[in-house]
Amino acid sequence: MTPIDGYPILTTAAMRAAEEACGDPAMLMERAGAAVAAAVGRLAGGSAILILCGPGNNGGDGYVAARLMTAAGHAVRVAADDEPRSALAIDARRRWTGPVEPLGTALPAPILVDALFGTGLTRPLENRTAAALHRLADAASLRIAIDLPSGVATDDGTVPTMPPRFDVTLALAAPKPAHLLQPAARQAGRVRVLDIGVPVTGDAHVLARPVLPDPGPESHKYSRGMVAVVGGDMAGAAELASLAAMRAGAGYVLYLGEGQGPPHGLVRRRWSPDALDDPRIGAVVIGPGLGRGDGTGARLATAIGSGHELVIDGDALRLLDVDAPRTATTILTPHAGEFAHLFGKAWGSKIDATRMAARRADAVIVHKGADTVIAAPDGRVAVSAGSSDWLSAAGTGDVLAGAAGAMLAAGLPPFEAAGAAVWLHRAAAAVCGRSFIADDLAAALSRVR
Ligand SMILES: NC(=O)C1=CN([C@@H]2O[C@H](COP(=O)(O)OP(=O)(O)OC[C@H]3O[C@@H](n4cnc5c(N)ncnc54)[C@H](OP(=O)(O)O)[C@@H]3O)[C@@H](O)[C@H]2O)[C@@H](O)CC1
Ligand SMILES: Nc1ncnc2c1ncn2[C@@H]1O[C@H](COP(=O)(O)OP(=O)(O)O)[C@@H](O)[C@H]1O
Ligand SMILES: [K+]
């Protein structure tokens, strides 16, 4: 049972290809069932287990696990409505010698294991199946899904049928998009990968802890990274971005706009068209609090023309022409509304849509939300797993933009810089607890950096 950070994310087709490259499918199912049995056995302690088996190979995994856990001395019951259809599942069912109860009348058990459907779900669950799954899950004290919660669409995280909320989902071989993308991800609970000996690769990964440069004896404020934050109508938002850049580790943050006050380490200057002419600037952050009034378009044009690496956020995303050529390295940080404004109606999964957008804009895109997806123009994708819902507060996006500026100015390449900022942002939210405000979040970046 391994945490998912850093794992490749595989679609149904990629998973099938990886399985096929592995040889004997019966051996794979036996391995999958054995891995499930070991994990569920550990999670269950000594409590009784009820396994719900579906007609495909997900059900097959359930029958194998039931046989192995019974042999290991666990109290296991099996419930199923449909006879197995795939050859592998038929064989696994045949080797389960215990009774199979109907789903509709099965009594609950403290440990509920959902092996109804995995990557092969093609349509919503039948009402009676969904009702039995919810009834038995509600009555259990621990809910475990095998591979995926039954009812979710593997490749885009939509929910043809809303499953119960699971405590743990045991992803076979690799995480799938539905383990990360909402609304499915929420129902999966904690996701752990079970290694079943299938080698997996891909260009989309779960965001992993970044490797960040620490200052050394030779460091000075400019070598740590200088970030310029372009202000505008709402000083507070740009100040939050500035504070976040400082707390994320920038050595020198220059705030270009109106407003006074702490922190005293923030260097404040009025905006002027030559304000970005300093070659020591490592990154420019523009958008938080910029507004859309007179002169804001000119500020954006100056920032783009400066040749400095850029983080473009908030209001600047409303002013940007994504198709116009830019020479400088750029990170764009749209939320869903800004993404739709820039790129139109998305097709496919959030992963597909963000990858396409990065190619089109020739920029790293941080597509924010409860399931933040980061994509590079070369096709690489990183998806952040499980951040705090308390991030849904005004100003938290400004904090992310400032952190991204600090990472760029520290010398990280743009895809890595964006990933590091999202990681730090999520970690800072985790230490902030509940009902924090964006100012707390910016301050907490120091604690997780
Ligand atoms: N990853 C790996 O390396 C390994 C993966 N393994 C496991 O295999 C799983 C994938 O297996 P799978 O392809 O057989 O799909 P699965 O999800 O069991 O369901 C398909 C069946 O359900 C049916 N069906 C579909 N929707 C339905 C609905 N709403 N209501 C009713 N029926 C519905 C569908 O039939 P049809 O659409 O033709 O009617 C078909 O019969 C995977 O998640 C993992 O657990 C391991 O065993 C080995 C190693
Ligand atoms: N429900 C949620 N769960 C986790 N993270 C969220 C959630 N809602 C928003 N976020 C994160 O909070 C930030 C909000 O940014 P944004 O929408 O730009 O707000 P603002 O412009 O007010 O700063 C983003 O980083 C986003 O990923
Ligand atoms: K399942």
Side-chain angles (χ1 to χ4, degrees), residues 13-75:
M15 198 63 244
R16 290 215 173 113
E19 282 168 49
E20 277 162 23
C22 254
D24 183 6
M27 186 191 62
L28 261 191
M29 182 173 284
E30 193 65 23
R31 267 197 239 147
V36 167
V40 172
R42 255 203 287 160
L43 292 167
S47 299
I49 301 162
L50 173 64
I51 306 185
L52 314 182
C53 293
N57 291 342
N58 196 248
D61 296 342
Y63 288 113
V64 173
R67 166 166 54 80
L68 297 175
M69 280 194 286
T70 302
H74 293 281

Side-chain angles (χ1 to χ4, degrees), residues 22-125:
C22 254
D24 183 6
M27 186 191 62
L28 261 191
M29 182 173 284
E30 193 65 23
R31 267 197 239 147
V36 167
V40 172
R42 255 203 287 160
L43 292 167
S47 299
I49 301 162
L50 173 64
I51 306 185
L52 314 182
C53 293
N57 291 342
N58 196 248
D61 296 342
Y63 288 113
V64 173
R67 166 166 54 80
L68 297 175
M69 280 194 286
T70 302
H74 293 281
V76 180
R77 290 184 296 123
V78 170
D81 277 350
D82 302 310
E83 279 303 313
R85 288 188 213 145
S86 74
L88 288 177
I90 291 169
D91 190 48
R93 163 72 186 87
R94 188 180 53 73
R95 295 171 70 196
W96 164 248
T97 51
V100 176
E101 307 167 28
L103 286 177
T105 54
L107 292 177
I111 311 296
L112 188 273
V113 177
D114 164 18
L116 287 170
F117 300 101
T119 54
L121 188 89
T122 48
R123 56 192 180 280
L125 266 57

Side-chain angles (χ1 to χ4, degrees), residues 36 93 97 99 142 178-179 266 310 346 364 367 409:
V36 167
R93 163 72 186 87
T97 51
L142 185 71
H179 293 121
L266 178 61
L310 295 169
V364 168
H367 191 173

Side-chain angles (χ1 to χ4, degrees), residues 186 313 333 335 338 368-370 372 387-400 425:
R186 179 60 42 85
D313 181 48
T333 54
H335 58 50
E338 289 155 350
K368 297 183 294 192
T372 296
S387 54
S388 166
D389 293 330
W390 291 102
L391 277 171
S392 47
T396 55
D398 307 325
V399 171
L400 179 71
H425 192 250

